[in-house]
Amino acid sequence: MNKKKVAFICIHNSCRSQIAEALGKHLAADVFESYSAGTETKPQINLDAVRVMKEIYGIDMEANGQYSKLIADIPDVDIAISMGCNVECPFIGRAFDDNWGLDDPTGKSDDDFKAIMQRIEENIIELKKRLSENK
């Protein structure tokens, strides 16, 4: 079976898209491959996201090798999902297949991070279900 490649995109690839990549690998690796990228990078992924992901899901994004990447650093994908940039979404050389419209929790409370993670988890599960039905 040839699994779909899904990219989660936001400008800096440091928080929401990293969370989506990690949860995609954790919850849906049997159905699709997860990647994340941006049009700019940060020196490291969001430390609050790393900490809360460890706390809630037991996932260590840094130990799993996640880092801020450019779109050119990932393979060509079948599905591109914007996290919801609240600005002009980056041009990635093709149209986005979906926009999840998620607020950036950077600089906000742990509860804000947890709420975004919950929405991403729900979206990942829905995407997994949709792709499973279309095999």
Side-chain angles (χ1 to χ4, degrees), residues 7-97:
F8 304 100
I9 310 293
C10 62
I11 293 174
H12 295 113
N13 185 225
S14 64
C15 190
R16 293 163 294 170
S17 55
Q18 291 286 342
I19 293 166
E21 177 183 356
L23 287 176
K25 288 176 178 176
H26 183 69
L27 299 169
D30 57 325
V31 174
F32 62 84
E33 295 177 25
S34 295
Y35 301 91
S36 68
T39 52
E40 302 172 19
T41 60
K42 292 274 188 176
Q44 67 185 124
I45 58 178
N46 185 296
L47 294 178
D48 290 322
V50 171
R51 178 178 51 77
V52 177
M53 283 290 286
K54 277 185 206 172
E55 177 186 316
I56 301 296
Y57 298 97
I59 298 170
D60 188 334
M61 295 190 296
E62 289 181 317
N64 290 344
Q66 287 186 232
Y67 62 96
S68 185
K69 300 169 289 303
L70 294 171
I71 292 157
D73 298 332
I74 64 172
D76 288 339
V77 298
D78 302 298
I79 299 169
I81 298 172
S82 167
M83 296 290 95
C85 307
N86 296 332
V87 292
E88 185 70 26
C89 279
F91 180 68
I92 61 166
R94 58 169 283 193
F96 285 101
D97 296 289

